[in-house]
């Protein structure tokens, strides 16, 4: 079998459940490796998508998800520190060492920290992540 033509097409996320398909076709010269040409077509399609600003939404969404995860980790650490402080304060009161040791309330110190998580769990699936 002699391969004389190869093509590559990629689906790039536009956001809001919209995609754009970019496809390229190349005619092979004598002795050209089809796999190398397809890889070159893929790189060119990705570069074209990047020039059009496609794919940036995906990067932004992943960054938002990463930061939301970081905030949730910090919230958990703050609640843990609050609980540890309150246990120490209870010990100090019970032993009479510091009868007026206050409990720590993160709501008072930082109203934006919530006792219960309100994060929405979900999964972002992006066609640009698929292997082509």
């Amino acid at each position: 079998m002699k391969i004389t033509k190869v093509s590559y097409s990629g689906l790039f996320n536009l956001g809001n459940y919209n995609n754009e398909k970019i496809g390229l076709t190349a005619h092979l010269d004598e002795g050209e490796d089809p796999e190398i040409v397809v890889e070159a077509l893929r790189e060119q399609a990705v570069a074209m998508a990047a020039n059009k600003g496609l794919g940036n939404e995906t990067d932004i969404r992943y960054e938002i998800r990463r930061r939301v995860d970081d905030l949730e980790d910090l919230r958990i650490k703050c609640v843990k520190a609050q609980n540890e402080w309150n246990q120490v304060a209870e010990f100090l009161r019970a032993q009479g060492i510091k009868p007026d040791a206050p409990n720590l309330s993160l709501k008072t110190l930082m109203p934006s920290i919530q006792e219960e998580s309100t994060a929405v769990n979900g999964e972002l699936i992006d066609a640009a992540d698929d292997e082509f």
Side-chain angles (χ1 to χ4, degrees), residues 32-110:
E32 250 185 322
D33 184 351
E35 290 181 19
I36 293 173
V37 175
V38 168
E39 180 60 26
L41 291 175
R42 187 190 77 74
E43 289 173 7
Q44 188 172 355
V46 169
M48 289 170 66
N51 288 338
K52 292 180 80 175
L54 305 178
N56 290 340
E57 295 87 1
T58 301
D59 296 339
I60 291 168
R61 277 188 269 133
Y62 286 132
E63 182 67 16
I64 289 170
R65 181 175 27 174
R66 187 184 66 77
R67 290 182 184 214
V68 166
D69 290 345
D70 289 347
L71 283 173
E72 179 63 12
D73 291 343
L74 287 172
R75 186 197 68 79
I76 290 169
K77 288 177 183 177
C78 287
V79 169
K80 182 180 177 189
Q82 174 188 356
N83 292 337
E84 290 173 0
W85 172 268
N86 290 342
Q87 289 173 359
V88 169
E90 178 60 33
F91 173 79
L92 294 173
R93 287 191 298 266
Q95 298 300 315
I97 298 171
K98 186 156 175 77
D100 61 342
N103 278 342
L104 178 63
S105 172
L106 292 178
K107 269 189 177 175
T108 305
L109 294 174
M110 296 177 278

Side-chain angles (χ1 to χ4, degrees), residues 1-13:
M1 171 176 74
K2 183 175 181 181
I3 299 173
T4 59
K5 184 169 81 170
V6 293
S7 63
Y8 171 85
S9 64
L11 195 61
F12 299 91
N13 188 8

